Amino acid sequence: MDSKGIKVLVADDEPDILEIVRYKLEAEGYEVATASNGEEALQKARSVKPDLIILDVMMPFRTGMDVCRMLRSDTAFHDTLILMLTALNDELSQVRGLEYGADDYINKPVSPRVLISRVHALLRRKARNIDEAPIQLESLRIDPTQFSVHHEGQAIALAKKEFELLYLLASRPRRVFLRNEILSHVWGPDVIVGDRTIDVHIRKIRQKLGIDCIRTVKGVGYKFEM
Amino acid sequence: MDSKGIKVLVADDEPDILEIVRYKLEAEGYEVATASNGEEALQKARSVKPDLIILDVMMPFRTGMDVCRMLRSDTAFHDTLILMLTALNDELSQVRGLEYGADDYINKPVSPRVLISRVHALLRRKARNIDEAPIQLESLRIDPTQFSVHHEGQAIALAKKEFELLYLLASRPRRVFLRNEILSHVWGPDVIVGDRTIDVHIRKIRQKLGIDCIRTVKGVGYKFEM
DNA sequence: CCGGAGCATTATCAAATTGTTAACCGAAGC
DNA sequence: GCTTCGGTTAACAATTTGATAATGCTCCGG
């Protein structure tokens, strides 16, 4: 239940890899910025203020480790996640990446699947630690830290999946979420469930909330709108 | 699931694997073409124009990576999905598969179930290629992210086809779109529908919008103009 | 004025999509 | 072990959408 306006900066000097990673991340709903060298990565980090930075170790102008170290010494990036991509079996850089304060690192070559799942994991971790922002929309309050939903002061009990689904939709009011997106965010990227499963959960949410705030966009998906 | 008219090309030099994959894919309703070496894969790709190509890395005449790279350098295959089958633990080819622009890859041996689910996932993503740029023309706002149209603040509900048609026209104001162009963009390149179908949708849009912003160019097509 | 070409409109029907209910299954609690 | 709850699925109902046919309109040339 993430990727509401979550920004990821990807820095790699290989244009192809950059594009594939961008594609994959965007398919998961993240906002993606890219940089093709260390210097650009620093600049973009400052202008974009991403939640997560994926850094290739080997880059022109500044190495990923350089960038990592500089970001970490800046308090503005204190809780920005950094994921390092290290060269094949270059264990030394793993160590040093860690020393410089990366939150995770992956050995190249890396499959897109693995990368995405690590990204998810990192962001989930961050979300838990830092605390996810409660959403307040008119009289409806959705608080992920308490896992609770209140409407006009009344507590409404939602089951886990129901809550996650509602939280996803409400995290970006009026944006349409395709059924695929919903599946991949609430159920996970590779989970296969039946076609009617989403509907049923939507129905339960509508039923329990008692207010009409989830719109069906036929042939497309669902969106939250008060 | 639909998978109507979706074409998949499978290239592998193992006849048994080829047949199993073909069988599974056809059972899912895909149209399947096969090739048993790299050269043949290239030819078939050009003649069949598949939506997705499954490439074995190790093939005679041309390796899968070779084929992948050649296809990617051809603009006609720019948005053709490529799924690479790599030998077990052949990590090097993973990297290179990525560099050459495969959209995903799977390590052999692969279970048919997994293969099918990856294929589904890839095609779903492709299907969802909404251009995410909202269009704002005077008091009319067309937002593909929200799948919504607003005129002077008022939301106007359009059905999917109507929305896509309007979005196409509005994406290039004052440019005339021929009926063929409209058909191939909104309905797809190979869909055959009657002559009056476009008219009917145009009418519905005009009706719902309430403003006269779609001009008929007799004998030619339609254009958007505020 | 007439007739045809091309488009607009409307009604209608089939297909696609979603809503709803009930039943099932497994895991967590009692 | 029994019960409850959440999650999933299946089956069917309800709704919406898209496509077509039929008909009307309008512009034009003859």
Side-chain angles (χ1 to χ4, degrees), chain B residues 129-184:
Chain B
N129 236 353
I130 303 174
D131 275 321
E132 307 244 311
I135 298 173
Q136 176 95 47
L137 295 159
E138 299 177 30
S139 58
L140 189 69
R141 181 179 176 78
I142 306 172
D143 189 335
T145 304
Q146 300 182 184
F147 220 89
S148 70
V149 178
H150 289 259
H151 180 231
E152 289 169 355
Q154 284 290 306
I156 299 168
L158 293 188
K160 195 168 154 215
K161 275 264 163 17
E162 292 158 16
F163 183 88
E164 288 170 351
L165 176 47
L166 175 62
Y167 187 73
L168 173 68
L169 296 179
S171 66
R172 289 203 177 197
R174 305 196 309 164
R175 178 199 193 282
V176 176
F177 286 86
L178 310 183
R179 283 168 175 270
N180 319 342
E181 293 179 315
I182 294 175
L183 279 181
S184 89

Side-chain angles (χ1 to χ4, degrees), chain A residues 14 16-17 20 23-24 26-28 108-113 173-176 178 180-181 192 195 217-220 223, chain B residues 1 81 91-92 94-95 98-105 117-118 122 124-126 128 130 132 145-148 150 160:
Chain A
E14 249 300 342
D16 291 343
I17 293 187
I20 293 162
Y23 174 78
K24 291 281 171 184
E26 285 181 346
E28 296 293 317
K108 282 183 163 187
V110 59
S111 82
R113 274 172 50 81
R174 306 197 310 165
R175 178 198 194 284
V176 174
L178 311 185
N180 313 339
E181 294 178 316
I192 301 171
D195 281 0
V217 183
K218 269 209 142 186
V220 186
K223 66 163 136 175
Chain B
M1 296 286 146
L81 294 167
E91 301 206 67
L92 185 57
Q94 284 193 10
V95 178
L98 268 183
E99 284 175 355
Y100 289 142
D103 295 286
D104 198 1
Y105 53 91
S117 92
R118 294 284 196 91
L122 277 176
R124 266 199 302 271
R125 269 180 208 170
K126 183 184 182 187
R128 162 220 182 260
I130 303 174
E132 307 244 311
T145 304
Q146 300 182 184
F147 220 89
S148 70
H150 289 259
K160 195 168 154 215

Side-chain angles (χ1 to χ4, degrees), chain B residues 196 200 203 206 216 218-219 222:
Chain B
R196 301 271 67 75
V200 174
R203 174 168 185 286
R206 284 171 167 157
T216 304
K218 280 193 104 170
Y222 294 93

